[in-house]
Amino acid sequence: MNSTPAPQFDSVGLVVSDLAASLAFYRRLGIGFPDGSEDQPHVEAVLPGGLRLVLDTEDTIRSFHPTWPPPAGGGRVTLAFRCTDPEHVDVVYQDLAGAGYHGELKPWDAFWGQRYATVHDPDGNGVDLFAPLPNASA
């Protein structure tokens, strides 16, 4: 039996091409990045429950991994934000789409019992918005 403790999941990191644009997007979703973060190469925000969202510029990554290539094509990672109710999904989606962010999937009632929508952050990462539908558990 291994007596070594398992590592703890601590953060989600995103490599961003335009830090100021990404900060504006995630702040619009309520993530509390510190003031002045726009001038930093690496920023962090502590989320409810202690998990951290970490943003690094492409230049920061290249500073320790000079041959790092930025990803091409669609991503395989999405972030999901739980809204207070189905109407909240619509309001948040409209706010982001109205601010010019790409709305990938307009709000809809998903067969798994949630109001669901997807927008893209400035780097094209999927950001899902969801809330349980009445009489559904999610």
Side-chain angles (χ1 to χ4, degrees):
M1 185 173 250
N2 188 348
S3 63
T4 303
Q8 289 186 319
F9 184 47
D10 179 76
S11 60
V12 173
L14 300 176
V15 179
V16 301
S17 57
D18 182 334
L19 184 59
S22 293
L23 287 167
F25 178 85
Y26 287 105
R27 283 177 172 151
R28 205 170 186 102
L29 285 166
I31 304 296
F33 285 101
D35 290 340
S37 292
E38 292 78 2
D39 301 324
Q40 302 301 315
H42 169 93
V43 297
E44 301 181 4
V46 178
L47 306 173
L51 193 65
R52 294 176 300 135
L53 180 59
V54 177
L55 305 181
D56 287 296
T57 65
E58 292 176 355
D59 287 341
T60 298
I61 301 304
R62 285 192 187 100
S63 75
F64 60 85
H65 187 351
T67 61
W68 174 82
R76 293 180 178 238
V77 175
T78 60
L79 302 178
F81 287 76
R82 184 181 182 120
C83 296
T84 56
D85 55 43
E87 294 77 22
H88 191 211
V89 172
D90 294 13
V91 168
V92 173
Y93 178 89
Q94 289 302 324
D95 176 64
L96 292 169
Y101 298 106
H102 177 254
E104 178 69 15
L105 291 174
K106 292 181 179 178
W108 62 290
D109 293 344
F111 63 87
W112 57 83
Q114 293 176 334
R115 184 76 172 160
Y116 214 86
T118 302
V119 295
H120 285 162
D121 76 3
D123 289 291
N125 295 307
V127 176
D128 297 336
L129 308 169
F130 72 95
L133 291 169
N135 302 318
S137 61

